Amino acid sequence: MTGLRWGILATGGIAAAFASDLRTAGLDLVAVGSRSQASADAFAARFDIPHAHGSYEALAADPEVDIIYVATPHPMHHQDARLALENGKHALVEKAFTLNRAEAEDLQRLAAEKGLIVMEAMWTRYLPHMVHLREIIAAGTLGEIRAVMADHTQKLPTDPAHRLNALELGGGALLDLGIYPISFIWDVLGEPTSIQATARLIETGADAEVATMMTHAGGAISTSLSSSRAAGANAAVIVGTEARIEIDRVWYTPTSFRVVAPDGTVLEEYVSAVEGRGMQYQAFAAESAVAGGDPESLALPIAESVAIMGTLDEIRRQIGVSYPGEE
């Protein structure tokens, strides 16, 4: 055990995946909270968790918990992360971090006031192949990076009442799927200097497909595609003047990539060897940041998560998507 005691807020599929990886990694999972005691008890029994709480408030108040993983749908992230922070707990919040930048800024302020770490659970940033990819870029192997292309496309339920298609539940391809390529592009190229977005909206007003073209410092260009109605390659490419990196399907999970010279020569091949799904690496990063007292040491600092939410806000403005309660 590493010292930080984890609690999980919510008991859905992503919460189960995270709990499994915490157990695989030997981290200290001590509590779970649900809106019903029965659900909390079942989850606790499944993952051998000693404390099961029938409300989120009880989990947040548990003195045995140091850090809470927030695994609720997007519209609840702000209130649930706030609950954790107000009770003195660090928070790892599922992506997309919040519904919009204003909510993200509020969590950033509160965490700073409380001296706590709040971070977005963009687990891809912390995977070994992404860490090595950044090392290759930093070494200058690719030369000047001129383009990044990535997609996240899946064939998901079309029921209008499904969470993914309901605006009142933060539905749409952008926040569920598009956050991955957008965050990846930010990681490689930094903040966009211009954004162009187009989308296809469904009968509920949610976005089913979203494409972006952005420019970045030095004139580099990025493109992204997200879709909830059709499964594509789910691959990514970083193109530099001296070499490119081709990341295989599924690029945002533990996978393989190649560094390829302009003439097609393969300079390096990398294959991930990860136990479990790989969500434990973001937990390791959170624990290191807490131990060191340095939230800026994270591969995705909170200031960048806030700025990325601003990018998503602008994309939604361009495609005409807003959520209930937004001005």
Side-chain angles (χ1 to χ4, degrees):
M1 301 303 180
T2 59
L4 274 192
R5 298 166 298 178
W6 285 86
I8 295 181
L9 190 152
T11 56
I14 196 71
F18 186 66
S20 179
D21 279 352
L22 287 185
R23 284 287 179 241
T24 295
L27 300 184
D28 198 0
L29 175 54
V30 301
V32 61
S34 176
R35 289 175 296 180
S36 78
Q37 189 65 53
S39 178
D41 288 342
F43 194 92
R46 180 180 174 188
F47 294 104
D48 191 25
I49 301 172
H51 303 289
H53 300 287
S55 72
Y56 298 155
E57 291 77 11
L59 171 67
D62 188 337
E64 298 297 314
V65 173
D66 301 310
I67 183 167
I68 291 177
Y69 170 64
V70 175
T72 46
H74 314 316
M76 293 78 170
H77 287 178
H78 177 242
Q79 67 186 41
D80 294 338
R82 238 189 177 279
L83 179 66
L85 295 168
E86 287 170 345
N87 280 271
K89 316 300 190 200
H90 305 286
L92 173 64
V93 185
E94 254 311 316
K95 76 219 121 22
F97 185 58
T98 52
L99 277 183
N100 52 48
R101 180 167 183 151
E103 290 183 351
E105 287 175 336
D106 181 63
L107 294 180
Q108 181 185 28
R109 283 192 299 268
L110 181 58
E113 289 169 6
K114 297 282 190 179
L116 297 166
I117 284 178
V118 61
M119 62 180 280
E120 183 178 9
M122 178 47 73
W123 62 298
T124 300
R125 290 262 184 137
Y126 302 94
L127 292 173
H129 76 288
M130 287 294 175
V131 173
H132 187 47
L133 182 151
R134 287 193 289 270
E135 293 170 345
I136 291 169
I137 292 173
T141 303
L142 304 188
E144 184 181 359
I145 297 176
R146 302 310 309 153
V148 175
M149 297 158 279
D151 78 304
H152 188 179
T153 50
Q154 298 188 38
K155 189 171 177 60
L156 299 174
T158 59
D159 179 0
H162 189 276
R163 176 187 67 80
L164 194 69
N165 304 312
L167 283 181
E168 66 272 17
L169 297 177
L174 182 65
L175 260 61
D176 251 276
L177 309 177
I179 179 62
Y180 282 89
I182 297 297
S183 184
F184 176 62
I185 288 165
W186 261 83
D187 192 14
V188 177
L189 293 177
E191 184 173 7
T193 56
S194 71
I195 301 170
Q196 291 179 281
T198 187
R200 183 178 71 86
L201 307 186
I202 57 175
E203 66 276 9
T204 64
D207 48 290
E209 281 92 29
V210 182
T212 67
M213 182 173 68
M214 302 187 289
T215 55
H216 303 262
I221 293 173
S222 68
T223 61
S224 77
L225 173 65
S226 55
S227 174
S228 61
R229 297 295 174 92
N234 287 307
V237 181
I238 304 171
V239 181
T241 55
E242 302 303 318
R244 66 183 182 272
I245 294 177
E246 301 172 346
I247 313 176
D248 294 325
R249 176 182 179 87
V250 174
W251 68 265
Y252 50 85
T253 68
T255 189
S256 53
F257 70 76
R258 289 163 305 286
V259 183
V260 184
D263 64 1
T265 302
V266 176
L267 304 177
E268 179 181 347
E269 291 189 75
Y270 180 92
V271 179
S272 292
V274 170
E275 191 174 3
R277 190 168 187 257
M279 298 182 76
Q280 66 269 33
Y281 293 98
Q282 63 184 349
F284 294 149
E287 295 205 357
S288 294
V290 170
D294 181 16
E296 294 304 310
S297 67
L298 293 164
L300 180 54
I302 182 59
E304 188 171 337
S305 287
V306 169
I308 289 171
M309 289 311 307
T311 296
L312 299 181
D313 284 355
E314 173 58 19
I315 293 168
R316 287 197 297 116
R317 186 193 69 79
Q318 291 189 23
I319 65 176
V321 171
S322 62
Y323 303 117
E326 287 188 313
E327 296 182 358

